[in-house]
Amino acid sequence: MERSVDRLYSLIANEEDARVCKDIPAEACNVVPRNFFLILTANVLTKLGDLLISPKTVLAWLMSAIGAPALVAWLVPIRESGSMVPQMMIAAWVRRKPVRKWFWTIGSFGQAISVAAMAACVWFLEGYTAGAGIVAALVVFSLSRGFCSVAMKDVQGKCIPKTRRGRLSGLAATIGGTATVLLTIVLFRDQGDPTLAFYSLLLLLAAALWVIAGALFAGVEEHEGETGGGGNALTEAFKSLSLLRDDALFRNFVITRALLLCSALASPYFVVLAQKESDTGLMLGVFLLASSLASSVSASFWGWMADTSSRRVMIRGAAIASAVCLSVGLTAMFVGTGVGNGWFYPLAFFILSIAHAGVRLGRKTYLVDMAGGNKRTDYTAVSNTVIGFLLLATGGLTALLSLISNSAVIVVLGLMGLAGTLSAIRLKEVTGG
């Protein structure tokens, strides 16, 4: 079995010696192939789990199905901010421990328990009580995810050679994307009107995936690492907030990134509007396919463009997102239901997902290109923290606005995206070439 793993790793790594080690401890070399596939499998399983409980699609659909549509506004903000805001404290704690894989395993089990709790809310509760329970479980889910996010970087850095980490991430994305399409077809091909039992089983399946992923990750052979530098991480992170005052380029980037939240926040409302026209499982499956395909179709295109100018990627992604939001919002507002024979919203969602992929890749590349070394770390910590709090604030505002009209929320987010486009135009070019 071990020889088969070594041979397969050698093929993937495209090298005669599958244990070529760079920048990892010598004692970790002999178990690189085994660790590679354990981490790869865990990543693929969690990607499938993410599909099955996506706040932009499945949970947004579920909230309307159980009679709690007003809570849709909180799904994306809580899912994103819950894992970003506390990362400074989580990182300080994780770095005190010489072995960090257990944080990922605990985080994975925490996500499994949270998703199982969502299934219990769907099955045993009703209306806004069930919706509130799902939101509460999502808070715990997001916090657990923060542990996984921090621990994965450390574990991968100690167990996988530098020249093979990109292949690991790329292979996980490819396998996860393919498995996502197949799983969606299997689950939703013959599904008519989804029942509460169907939603509960969907969530329990996702929970099982995280349990298996956590168990597999526990088998990673991680050697002890350094434990220094974690004690004052939180204090230093708060000190770095002065960057917003002193660094004009960074401040303008954070403002732009905040305005570009529209591409993520608008997605669930497309799902809610579509559900009013057709609440079949097939329609939900179409949204899941649109979400997974959009990223895989556009990733290479946006990546190639970002190598020339990450600023222009943000501009174009934001402009597309703004145009789609304004078109959908105004159409829903003035034309009403029945537009496009049910395909208008999934198609618009697909285009918005492509735009969001561009916005996301563009701002990540821009941040990396903007500064190097420790300053890059500070930029990341500060921007994530600020955006996390802004997500919660924006979620509250959109929740209030959704009580009036879902289409009005989309129009407002479209205008926000337009402002983000103009703000991105004003940014300085930082990408070489």
Side-chain angles (χ1 to χ4, degrees):
M1 180 66 179
E2 185 176 345
R3 287 184 177 180
S4 298
V5 170
D6 287 354
R7 283 197 296 269
L8 183 56
Y9 175 76
S10 182
L11 288 172
I12 293 172
N14 192 27
E15 57 192 19
E16 292 182 4
D17 182 2
R19 297 188 178 92
V20 171
C21 292
K22 297 179 180 179
D23 82 330
I24 66 172
E27 62 269 23
C29 288
N30 292 333
V31 290
V32 166
R34 181 175 182 274
N35 284 340
F36 183 93
F37 287 108
L38 285 173
I39 296 173
L40 173 66
T41 306
N43 276 338
V44 170
L45 291 173
T46 57
K47 286 181 185 297
L48 287 174
D50 284 335
L51 162 80
L52 297 179
I53 63 113
S54 170
K56 297 179 182 178
T57 51
V58 175
L59 292 187
W61 189 282
L62 177 58
M63 282 296 192
S64 293
I66 62 176
L71 296 179
V72 167
W74 290 104
L75 296 177
V76 172
I78 287 176
R79 161 66 181 79
E80 299 297 332
S81 65
S83 61
M84 286 198 300
V85 171
Q87 276 197 20
M88 294 186 295
M89 291 179 286
I90 291 173
W93 184 18
V94 169
R95 290 189 186 112
R96 293 174 190 163
K97 307 297 180 182
V99 176
R100 285 100 186 238
K101 68 176 183 179
W102 300 113
F103 286 100
W104 199 96
T105 296
I106 292 171
S108 189
F109 288 161
Q111 290 174 87
I113 293 170
S114 302
V115 176
M118 293 180 193
C121 291
V122 171
W123 189 251
F124 294 109
L125 303 176
E126 296 179 354
Y128 278 95
T129 304
I134 291 173
V135 169
L138 187 61
V139 172
V140 178
F141 175 91
S142 190
L143 292 172
S144 299
R145 194 176 191 83
F147 281 95
C148 290
S149 178
V150 172
M152 175 60 80
K153 295 179 178 64
D154 282 329
V155 174
Q156 190 168 310
K158 287 197 291 181
C159 297
I160 307 298
K162 181 180 289 185
T163 54
R164 297 297 172 258
R165 293 168 196 160
R167 299 185 192 201
L168 173 60
S169 299
L171 195 57
T174 300
I175 297 174
T178 304
T180 289
V181 172
L182 294 175
L183 185 61
T184 302
I185 293 172
V186 170
L187 288 174
F188 296 95
R189 180 181 57 185
D190 299 321
Q191 185 61 230
D193 186 11
T195 62
L196 291 181
F198 174 76
Y199 286 122
S200 298
L201 289 174
L202 200 66
L203 293 169
L204 289 175
L205 173 59
L209 292 173
W210 267 292
V211 170
I212 297 171
L216 288 173
F217 205 86
V220 171
E221 293 188 38
E222 177 194 359
H223 295 273
E224 293 188 356
E226 296 180 5
T227 57
N232 63 348
L234 183 60
T235 302
E236 292 301 316
F238 278 116
K239 285 182 180 178
S240 64
L241 286 172
S242 61
L243 284 168
L244 290 171
R245 181 192 64 222
D246 302 330
D247 192 326
L249 176 59
F250 176 63
R251 181 173 63 249
N252 292 333
F253 166 76
V254 172
I255 292 170
T256 302
R257 183 182 173 187
L259 292 170
L260 297 186
L261 290 174
C262 68
S263 63
L265 294 173
S267 299
Y269 291 100
F270 285 39
V271 175
V272 171
L273 291 177
Q275 190 177 22
K276 291 180 180 179
E277 292 192 7
S278 173
D279 60 357
T280 64
L282 176 61
M283 181 61 73
L284 175 55
V286 169
F287 272 101
L288 289 175
L289 281 175
S291 179
S292 58
L293 288 175
S295 179
S296 58
V297 166
S298 63
S300 296
F301 169 76
W302 288 125
W304 171 78
M305 190 180 295
D307 286 338
T308 303
S309 172
S310 55
R311 170 179 161 273
R312 284 202 291 270
V313 168
M314 284 193 288
I315 292 170
R316 289 166 184 169
I320 295 171
S322 176
V324 173
C325 287
L326 291 174
S327 298
V328 169
L330 293 173
T331 299
M333 192 177 292
F334 295 107
V335 177
T337 59
V339 61
N341 294 322
W343 292 100
F344 174 70
Y345 295 118
L347 179 60
F349 182 90
F350 177 73
I351 298 172
L352 180 64
S353 297
I354 289 177
H356 177 66
V359 167
R360 193 165 180 266
L361 192 147
R363 54 99 170 160
K364 281 188 173 184
T365 306
Y366 192 93
L367 181 63
V368 170
D369 291 341
M370 190 166 43
N374 292 332
K375 200 170 187 181
R376 183 180 297 152
T377 304
D378 292 338
Y379 277 2
T380 302
V382 172
S383 62
N384 279 349
T385 302
V386 171
I387 295 300
F389 282 114
L390 287 177
L391 270 166
L392 293 175
T394 308
L397 293 174
T398 53
L400 291 174
L401 189 56
S402 68
L403 296 175
I404 302 173
S405 168
N406 288 321
S407 55
V409 174
I410 297 175
V411 170
V412 170
L413 291 173
L415 293 173
M416 183 175 160
L418 181 59
T421 305
L422 297 175
S423 182
I425 291 173
R426 295 173 56 195
L427 286 176
K428 175 186 174 184
E429 282 286 1
V430 296
T431 306

